Amino acid sequence: MELLIILQYVVPGFVVAILAELAWMKWRGGVSYEWRDSVASLTMGLGNLVDGAMIAALLYVLFAWLYGFRVVDWPAAAWWAFPIVLLVQDFCFYWSHRLSHEWRLWWAAHVTHHSSQHYNLSTALRQPVTGFFALSWAPYALMPLVGIPVEAIASAHAVSLAYQFWIHTEAIGRLPAWFEAVFNTPSHHRVHHATNPRYLDRNYAGTLIIWDRLFGTFQAEVASDPPRYGIVKNLGTFNPVVIGVHEWVSIFRDLRAARTWRGRLMCLFGPPGWREDGHGSTSETIRDDWRRRLPQAAE
Amino acid sequence: MDSVVPLILPVVAAVALMATIYFVSRGARAPALDEILARRRLYEDWQDFEAGEVWISADRRAALATDRGSNRLGLVYAFGDKLPSRLLGPGDILSARLDGGRLVIETKDFGRHHFALVSTGEAATRPWAERLSRLAAA
């Protein structure tokens, strides 16, 4: 119910922000929206509400049960504790997000969000519709186990989602250095959505960029290497169904063709792009090829 | 009624935004391809591909290129206002044929399996259809 009330406030804000971004693009010249791309993104945003409702229905029950096994008992529902709850939520987001790029099973759901070649506020709403099945919500199970009740988890999740909306834009360049050092920003997140070899699988942060700095996945935006958005092999379709399930189909085909148990396991938990025949291209092999091709640029 | 509003609101907002974005961004098209642009797109997208010979379709909305290091072909195509690309290697193609002034390629790719490239004439396009057919047979 709380999530429905939050929607009531968040949606008008999203609409105003997108209209403002469009007005800014008109003013500067060059609108980097493609209407069929945006229709797909917005349709998938609506689909994500259904997916999100399914996840919420499951997690309300599951996390309430896990809360009974909490290892720490502290007043996590108190107002003063909310920053700590946000910190724990953001830590869980980092790992859920990172593994959603490193495990193909989770990537199958998350790839939806990266499938647009545009980077604008409508891209923020292009969200997975199969997250429920991918189980990529699993890292959040840490939250009830450290004594955070379900209601506080839902509130923290809503704050995280709202924060991550505004960073999907090219309208904002660099923010003050102290802010860029601590928080996820449009510049950091442009890097995350880029397919340039330098930028692949970098900046997984939700709200705080400190996790990427801490775990060695941070990459600053480089002026001489402007981001090219999308995925390594761009889709070539605006069909929301194809966008939503294409990687699942691909996994299914690869599982059927796999000849070894290692191959089958890697189809699910190996990096996207991995192939049993050794001819695949993962983020790491692409970056290695790039370093070989342009050693000076890679330094 | 109070619980219905938050459910209807996202749908109304999405439809309103779709209409606005249509009116603001309609007419956006991918830039017309030439050899330099096709080479650049392939160079940017694929670190292990070095374009050799390049063919541009008659409407300049698609391009094919050979790879100096393998028998793969690079495909650049207009999609909305962008120019994404593909590498087509053995096992990626189902069929390729010249049909009604178009080079029609069917791939195994679930994301996009059908490409129809406008021919630049039988003599110039036939060798590309044959290269693609050889990949389909491999």
Coordinates of all heavy atoms in Angstrom, one line a residue, chain A residues 77-120:
Chain A
A77 N 13.4 0.7 12.5 CA 12.2 1.4 12.0 C 12.2 2.9 12.5 O 11.4 3.7 12.0 CB 11.0 0.7 12.4
A78 N 13.1 3.2 13.4 CA 13.1 4.6 13.9 C 13.6 5.6 12.8 O 14.4 5.2 11.9 CB 14.0 4.7 15.1
W79 N 13.1 6.8 12.8 CA 13.4 7.8 11.7 C 15.0 8.0 11.6 O 15.5 8.1 10.6 CB 12.7 9.1 11.9 CG 13.1 9.8 13.2 CD1 12.5 9.8 14.4 CD2 14.2 10.7 13.4 NE1 13.2 10.5 15.3 CE2 14.2 11.2 14.7 CE3 15.2 11.2 12.5 CZ2 15.2 12.0 15.2 CZ3 16.2 12.1 13.0 CH2 16.2 12.5 14.4
W80 N 15.6 8.0 12.9 CA 17.1 8.3 12.8 C 17.9 7.2 12.3 O 19.0 7.3 11.9 CB 17.5 8.7 14.3 CG 17.2 7.6 15.3 CD1 16.2 7.6 16.2 CD2 18.0 6.4 15.6 NE1 16.2 6.5 17.0 CE2 17.3 5.8 16.6 CE3 19.1 5.9 15.0 CZ2 17.7 4.5 17.1 CZ3 19.6 4.7 15.6 CH2 18.9 4.0 16.6
A81 N 17.2 6.0 12.2 CA 18.0 4.8 11.7 C 17.9 4.8 10.1 O 18.6 4.0 9.5 CB 17.4 3.6 12.3
F82 N 17.0 5.6 9.5 CA 16.8 5.4 8.1 C 18.1 5.6 7.2 O 18.3 4.9 6.3 CB 15.7 6.4 7.6 CG 15.1 6.0 6.3 CD1 14.6 4.7 6.1 CD2 15.1 6.9 5.2 CE1 14.0 4.3 4.9 CE2 14.6 6.5 4.0 CZ 14.1 5.2 3.8
P83 N 18.9 6.6 7.6 CA 20.2 6.7 6.8 C 21.0 5.4 6.8 O 21.6 5.0 5.8 CB 21.0 7.8 7.4 CG 19.9 8.6 8.1 CD 18.8 7.7 8.5
I84 N 21.0 4.7 7.9 CA 21.7 3.4 8.0 C 21.0 2.3 7.1 O 21.7 1.6 6.4 CB 21.8 2.9 9.5 CG1 22.5 4.0 10.3 CG2 22.6 1.6 9.6 CD1 22.4 3.8 11.8
V85 N 19.7 2.4 7.2 CA 18.9 1.4 6.3 C 19.2 1.7 4.9 O 19.4 0.7 4.1 CB 17.4 1.6 6.6 CG1 16.6 0.8 5.6 CG2 17.0 1.2 8.1
L86 N 19.3 3.0 4.5 CA 19.6 3.3 3.1 C 21.0 2.8 2.7 O 21.2 2.3 1.6 CB 19.5 4.8 2.9 CG 18.2 5.5 2.8 CD1 18.3 7.0 2.7 CD2 17.4 5.0 1.6
L87 N 21.9 2.9 3.6 CA 23.3 2.5 3.4 C 23.3 1.0 3.1 O 24.0 0.5 2.2 CB 24.2 2.8 4.6 CG 25.7 2.7 4.4 CD1 26.2 3.7 3.4 CD2 26.4 2.8 5.7
V88 N 22.6 0.2 4.0 CA 22.6 -1.2 3.8 C 21.9 -1.6 2.5 O 22.3 -2.5 1.8 CB 21.8 -1.9 5.0 CG1 21.8 -3.4 4.8 CG2 22.6 -1.6 6.3
Q89 N 20.8 -0.9 2.2 CA 20.0 -1.2 1.0 C 20.9 -0.9 -0.2 O 20.9 -1.7 -1.2 CB 18.8 -0.3 0.9 CG 17.8 -0.6 -0.2 CD 18.1 -0.1 -1.6 OE1 18.9 0.8 -1.7 NE2 17.5 -0.7 -2.6
D90 N 21.7 0.2 -0.2 CA 22.6 0.5 -1.3 C 23.7 -0.5 -1.5 O 24.1 -0.8 -2.6 CB 23.2 1.9 -1.1 CG 23.5 2.6 -2.4 OD1 22.7 2.6 -3.3 OD2 24.6 3.2 -2.4
F91 N 24.2 -1.0 -0.4 CA 25.2 -2.1 -0.5 C 24.6 -3.3 -1.1 O 25.2 -3.9 -2.0 CB 25.7 -2.4 1.0 CG 26.6 -3.6 1.0 CD1 27.9 -3.5 0.7 CD2 26.1 -4.8 1.5 CE1 28.8 -4.6 0.8 CE2 27.0 -5.9 1.5 CZ 28.3 -5.8 1.2
C92 N 23.4 -3.7 -0.7 CA 22.7 -4.8 -1.4 C 22.5 -4.6 -2.8 O 22.6 -5.5 -3.7 CB 21.4 -5.1 -0.7 SG 21.6 -5.7 1.0
F93 N 22.1 -3.3 -3.2 CA 21.8 -3.0 -4.6 C 23.1 -3.2 -5.4 O 23.1 -3.7 -6.5 CB 21.3 -1.5 -4.7 CG 21.1 -1.1 -6.1 CD1 19.9 -1.3 -6.8 CD2 22.2 -0.6 -6.9 CE1 19.8 -1.0 -8.1 CE2 22.1 -0.3 -8.2 CZ 20.8 -0.5 -8.8
Y94 N 24.2 -2.7 -4.8 CA 25.5 -2.8 -5.6 C 25.7 -4.3 -6.0 O 26.1 -4.6 -7.1 CB 26.6 -2.3 -4.7 CG 28.0 -2.5 -5.3 CD1 28.5 -1.7 -6.3 CD2 28.7 -3.7 -5.0 CE1 29.8 -1.9 -6.9 CE2 29.9 -4.0 -5.6 CZ 30.5 -3.1 -6.6 OH 31.7 -3.3 -7.2
W95 N 25.6 -5.2 -5.0 CA 25.9 -6.6 -5.3 C 24.8 -7.2 -6.2 O 25.2 -8.0 -7.1 CB 26.1 -7.4 -4.0 CG 27.5 -7.1 -3.5 CD1 27.8 -6.2 -2.4 CD2 28.7 -7.5 -4.1 NE1 29.1 -6.1 -2.3 CE2 29.8 -6.9 -3.3 CE3 29.1 -8.3 -5.2 CZ2 31.1 -7.0 -3.6 CZ3 30.4 -8.4 -5.4 CH2 31.4 -7.8 -4.6
S96 N 23.6 -6.9 -6.0 CA 22.5 -7.4 -6.9 C 22.8 -6.9 -8.3 O 22.7 -7.7 -9.3 CB 21.2 -6.9 -6.4 OG 20.2 -7.2 -7.4
H97 N 23.2 -5.6 -8.4 CA 23.4 -5.0 -9.7 C 24.7 -5.6 -10.4 O 24.7 -5.9 -11.6 CB 23.5 -3.5 -9.5 CG 23.5 -2.7 -10.8 ND1 23.9 -1.4 -10.9 CD2 23.2 -3.1 -12.1 CE1 23.7 -1.0 -12.1 NE2 23.3 -2.0 -12.9
R98 N 25.7 -5.7 -9.6 CA 27.0 -6.2 -10.1 C 26.8 -7.6 -10.6 O 27.2 -8.0 -11.7 CB 28.1 -6.2 -9.0 CG 29.4 -6.7 -9.5 CD 30.5 -6.4 -8.6 NE 31.7 -7.1 -9.0 CZ 32.9 -6.9 -8.4 NH1 33.1 -6.0 -7.4 NH2 34.0 -7.5 -8.9
L99 N 26.2 -8.5 -9.8 CA 25.9 -9.9 -10.3 C 25.0 -9.9 -11.4 O 25.0 -10.9 -12.2 CB 25.5 -10.7 -9.1 CG 26.5 -10.9 -8.0 CD1 25.9 -11.7 -6.8 CD2 27.7 -11.6 -8.5
S100 N 24.1 -8.9 -11.6 CA 23.2 -8.9 -12.7 C 23.9 -8.6 -14.0 O 23.4 -8.7 -15.1 CB 22.1 -7.8 -12.5 OG 21.3 -8.2 -11.5
H101 N 25.2 -8.1 -13.9 CA 26.0 -8.0 -15.1 C 27.0 -9.1 -15.2 O 27.5 -9.3 -16.3 CB 26.8 -6.6 -15.0 CG 26.0 -5.4 -15.3 ND1 26.1 -4.8 -16.5 CD2 25.1 -4.8 -14.6 CE1 25.3 -3.8 -16.6 NE2 24.6 -3.7 -15.4
E102 N 27.3 -9.8 -14.2 CA 28.3 -10.9 -14.2 C 27.8 -12.3 -14.4 O 28.5 -13.2 -14.8 CB 29.2 -10.8 -13.0 CG 30.0 -9.5 -12.9 CD 30.9 -9.4 -11.7 OE1 30.7 -10.2 -10.8 OE2 31.7 -8.4 -11.6
W103 N 26.5 -12.5 -14.0 CA 25.8 -13.8 -14.2 C 24.8 -13.6 -15.2 O 23.9 -12.8 -15.2 CB 25.1 -14.2 -12.9 CG 26.0 -14.6 -11.7 CD1 27.4 -14.7 -11.8 CD2 25.6 -14.9 -10.4 NE1 27.8 -15.1 -10.5 CE2 26.8 -15.2 -9.7 CE3 24.4 -14.9 -9.8 CZ2 26.7 -15.6 -8.3 CZ3 24.3 -15.3 -8.4 CH2 25.5 -15.6 -7.7
R104 N 24.9 -14.5 -16.2 CA 24.0 -14.4 -17.3 C 22.5 -14.6 -16.9 O 21.6 -14.0 -17.5 CB 24.4 -15.4 -18.4 CG 23.9 -15.0 -19.8 CD 24.5 -15.9 -20.8 NE 23.7 -15.9 -22.0 CZ 23.7 -16.9 -22.9 NH1 24.4 -18.0 -22.7 NH2 22.9 -16.8 -24.0
L105 N 22.2 -15.4 -15.9 CA 20.9 -15.7 -15.5 C 20.2 -14.4 -15.0 O 19.1 -14.1 -15.3 CB 20.9 -16.7 -14.4 CG 19.5 -17.1 -13.8 CD1 18.7 -17.8 -14.8 CD2 19.7 -17.9 -12.5
W106 N 21.0 -13.6 -14.3 CA 20.4 -12.3 -13.8 C 20.5 -11.2 -14.9 O 19.6 -10.4 -14.9 CB 21.2 -11.9 -12.5 CG 20.9 -12.7 -11.3 CD1 20.2 -13.9 -11.3 CD2 21.2 -12.5 -10.0 NE1 20.1 -14.4 -10.1 CE2 20.7 -13.5 -9.2 CE3 21.9 -11.5 -9.3 CZ2 20.9 -13.6 -7.8 CZ3 22.1 -11.5 -7.9 CH2 21.6 -12.6 -7.2
W107 N 21.5 -11.3 -15.7 CA 21.6 -10.4 -16.8 C 20.4 -10.5 -17.8 O 19.9 -9.6 -18.3 CB 22.9 -10.7 -17.6 CG 23.1 -9.9 -18.9 CD1 23.1 -10.4 -20.2 CD2 23.3 -8.5 -19.0 NE1 23.3 -9.4 -21.1 CE2 23.4 -8.2 -20.4 CE3 23.3 -7.4 -18.2 CZ2 23.6 -7.0 -20.9 CZ3 23.5 -6.1 -18.7 CH2 23.7 -5.9 -20.0
A108 N 19.8 -11.8 -17.9 CA 18.7 -12.0 -18.7 C 17.5 -11.0 -18.4 O 16.8 -10.6 -19.3 CB 18.2 -13.4 -18.6
A109 N 17.4 -10.7 -17.1 CA 16.4 -9.8 -16.7 C 16.9 -8.3 -16.9 O 16.2 -7.5 -17.4 CB 15.9 -10.0 -15.3
H110 N 18.1 -8.1 -16.4 CA 18.6 -6.7 -16.3 C 19.0 -6.1 -17.7 O 18.9 -4.9 -17.9 CB 19.8 -6.7 -15.4 CG 20.4 -5.3 -15.1 ND1 19.6 -4.3 -14.5 CD2 21.6 -4.8 -15.4 CE1 20.3 -3.2 -14.4 NE2 21.5 -3.5 -15.0
V111 N 19.3 -7.0 -18.7 CA 19.7 -6.5 -20.0 C 18.6 -5.5 -20.6 O 19.0 -4.6 -21.3 CB 20.0 -7.6 -20.9 CG1 18.7 -8.5 -21.2 CG2 20.5 -7.2 -22.3
T112 N 17.4 -5.7 -20.2 CA 16.3 -4.9 -20.7 C 16.6 -3.4 -20.4 O 16.5 -2.6 -21.3 CB 15.0 -5.2 -19.8 OG1 14.7 -6.5 -20.1 CG2 13.9 -4.3 -20.1
H113 N 17.1 -3.1 -19.2 CA 17.4 -1.7 -18.9 C 18.5 -1.1 -19.7 O 18.6 0.1 -19.9 CB 17.8 -1.7 -17.4 CG 18.1 -0.3 -16.9 ND1 17.2 0.8 -17.0 CD2 19.2 0.2 -16.3 CE1 17.7 1.8 -16.5 NE2 18.9 1.6 -16.1
H114 N 19.4 -2.0 -20.2 CA 20.5 -1.5 -21.0 C 20.3 -1.5 -22.5 O 21.2 -1.2 -23.3 CB 21.8 -2.3 -20.7 CG 22.4 -1.9 -19.3 ND1 23.3 -1.0 -19.1 CD2 22.1 -2.4 -18.1 CE1 23.6 -0.9 -17.8 NE2 22.8 -1.8 -17.2
S115 N 19.1 -2.0 -22.9 CA 18.9 -2.3 -24.3 C 18.7 -1.1 -25.2 O 18.7 -1.2 -26.4 CB 17.8 -3.3 -24.5 OG 16.6 -2.8 -24.0
S116 N 18.4 0.0 -24.6 CA 18.2 1.2 -25.5 C 19.6 1.8 -25.8 O 20.5 1.9 -25.0 CB 17.4 2.3 -24.7 OG 17.4 3.5 -25.5
Q117 N 19.7 2.3 -27.1 CA 20.9 3.0 -27.5 C 20.8 4.5 -27.1 O 21.7 5.3 -27.5 CB 21.1 2.8 -29.0 CG 21.6 1.4 -29.3 CD 22.0 1.3 -30.8 OE1 21.2 0.9 -31.7 NE2 23.2 1.7 -31.1
H118 N 19.7 4.9 -26.5 CA 19.6 6.3 -26.1 C 19.8 6.4 -24.6 O 19.6 5.4 -23.9 CB 18.2 6.8 -26.4 CG 18.0 6.9 -27.9 ND1 17.6 5.8 -28.7 CD2 18.0 8.0 -28.7 CE1 17.5 6.2 -29.9 NE2 17.8 7.5 -30.0
Y119 N 20.2 7.5 -24.1 CA 20.4 7.7 -22.7 C 19.7 9.0 -22.3 O 20.2 10.1 -22.5 CB 21.9 7.9 -22.4 CG 22.2 7.8 -20.9 CD1 22.2 6.6 -20.2 CD2 22.4 9.0 -20.2 CE1 22.4 6.6 -18.8 CE2 22.7 9.0 -18.8 CZ 22.7 7.8 -18.2 OH 22.9 7.7 -16.8
N120 N 18.4 8.8 -21.9 CA 17.6 9.9 -21.5 C 16.7 9.4 -20.4 O 16.8 8.2 -20.0 CB 16.8 10.5 -22.7 CG 16.0 9.4 -23.4 OD1 15.3 8.6 -22.8 ND2 16.1 9.4 -24.7

